[in-house]
Amino acid sequence: MHVRTGGPDGPTLLALHGLGATGAVWNGLVERWPGRWIVPDLPGHGRSEPLPRYSFGALAAAVAEVVPPGTTVAVLGHSLGGVVALTLASGWFGVRVSGACGLGMKVRWSDEELTRAADQATRPAKVFGSREEAAARWLKVSGLHGLVPADSPIVDSGLVEGWRLALDQAAFGVGAPDLDGLLAAARAPVILAAGEHDPMCPAEHLPDGAVILPGLGHNAHVEDPAALDPLLARLRDA
């Protein structure tokens, strides 16, 4: 797995991106964390190798390998990364988690949506005629269209010269999370959050007590990193 680390001495944050994105989406947020941070590209994304089969457990097991032994981490995950964060909070993967936050997790899936995702997982990666075409597709898949310029290094982190997306199509087949099961299994405090205008994670789909970020959408951490300061504070205090 490709992993970046940084920050001063202090509590450690593990930041996990969503489906189709890369760890580069956390660039504006990790500098706001008052300690060390660990930011991987999830398997099958960016510069990380793919998995033979995608499940939330398989992703959590892979991420657990990049956490130094004995390190306690606060985990902040977006969308797919949020599900992995809650999976790690179970303690089943050998990572000591002090607190976990799932941001913008899609927790309700229709049969039609799952069928579409499974179909997408079987399609071969498309090769584009130019970087511009590949960049446009990556921005759409990652949900960052209109938030990140097409010529940004963040976009480059999700592309392979040729031109195609670095994303392994099979990752689309990961399935739907069992939110109730994840919350029941968690051995650390869990925070659920979403942007007020997140179409993938409406406030009414989350349990009471979830944090709703006013005026923001699905990629709240990219739209306004400072808006996540209260979430970071809660993770730090945990």
Side-chain angles (χ1 to χ4, degrees), residues 10-108:
T12 301
L13 176 72
L14 175 64
L16 307 176
H17 63 79
L19 179 66
T22 71
V25 298
W26 298 109
N27 289 354
L29 183 133
V30 291
E31 63 187 24
R32 311 185 70 82
W33 178 254
R36 299 290 296 169
W37 48 264
I38 303 170
V39 178
D41 290 347
L42 292 177
H45 294 70
R47 286 174 278 179
S48 290
E49 294 294 321
L51 292 175
R53 180 177 176 275
Y54 290 90
S55 67
F56 302 121
L59 290 165
V63 170
E65 294 296 322
V66 309
V67 178
T71 301
T72 299
V73 295
V75 192
L76 170 59
H78 171 245
S79 199
L80 170 62
V83 182
V84 178
L86 268 62
T87 304
L88 288 170
S90 68
W92 298 337
F93 298 90
V95 176
R96 292 179 0 195
V97 175
S98 59
C101 177
L103 171 68
M105 291 168 45
K106 182 173 172 59
V107 296
R108 293 188 188 178

Side-chain angles (χ1 to χ4, degrees), residues 103-126:
L103 171 68
M105 291 168 45
K106 182 173 172 59
V107 296
R108 293 188 188 178
W109 289 76
S110 67
D111 290 341
E112 181 182 358
E113 288 172 330
L114 288 171
T115 297
R116 284 203 307 266
D119 177 66
Q120 186 75 12
T122 64
R123 296 181 183 179
K126 183 175 180 179

Side-chain angles (χ1 to χ4, degrees), residues 4 22-25 27 41 46-47 131 135 138-139 144 148-159:
R4 294 183 300 126
T22 71
V25 298
N27 289 354
D41 290 347
R47 286 174 278 179
R131 182 198 178 278
W138 185 81
L139 287 167
L144 295 172
V148 176
D151 59 356
S152 168
I154 294 177
V155 178
D156 289 327
S157 73
L159 302 181

Side-chain angles (χ1 to χ4, degrees), residues 19-21 25 78 132-152 154-155 199-200 217-223:
L19 179 66
V25 298
H78 171 245
E132 290 72 22
E133 292 176 277
R137 176 60 180 166
W138 185 81
L139 287 167
K140 181 178 180 180
V141 168
S142 62
L144 295 172
H145 178 72
L147 299 177
V148 176
D151 59 356
S152 168
I154 294 177
V155 178
M200 298 186 69
H218 185 57
N219 281 278
H221 55 303
V222 178
E223 296 172 55

